[in-house]
Amino acid sequence: MSSDRVAELKLDDVVNEICPWSGKPVSPDALTTYKGKVVGFCNPGCRDKFETAVVHFESAIAKG
């Protein structure tokens, strides 16, 4: 996701309050989109781990 797009995402728009990786509260600098929804993470590292996992899962499904 481009840094311009990340800057447009807002904490008020997230569908979750807790990071799915760590269980900690989401942070405004760790947001991304997934299937049209804003998803939050506790830090950019968790967000990046999620984005990498999504790419791998989507690729595996497409090959299936």
Side-chain angles (χ1 to χ4, degrees):
M1 171 172 283
S2 75
S3 60
D4 291 339
R5 179 68 179 121
V6 171
E8 295 174 12
L9 301 178
K10 296 180 178 116
L11 196 55
D12 291 340
D13 297 329
V14 297
V15 296
N16 59 307
E17 296 179 3
I18 302 297
C19 175
W21 293 113
S22 72
K24 296 177 183 175
V26 298
S27 176
D29 69 340
L31 308 178
T32 191
T33 58
Y34 180 66
K35 296 191 177 190
K37 304 290 184 185
V38 179
V39 181
F41 297 87
C42 66
N43 65 62
C46 283
R47 179 203 57 216
D48 295 348
K49 183 167 52 169
F50 172 78
E51 289 178 344
T52 299
V54 167
V55 169
H56 290 292
F57 286 123
E58 297 291 338
S59 177
I61 289 169
K63 290 178 184 176

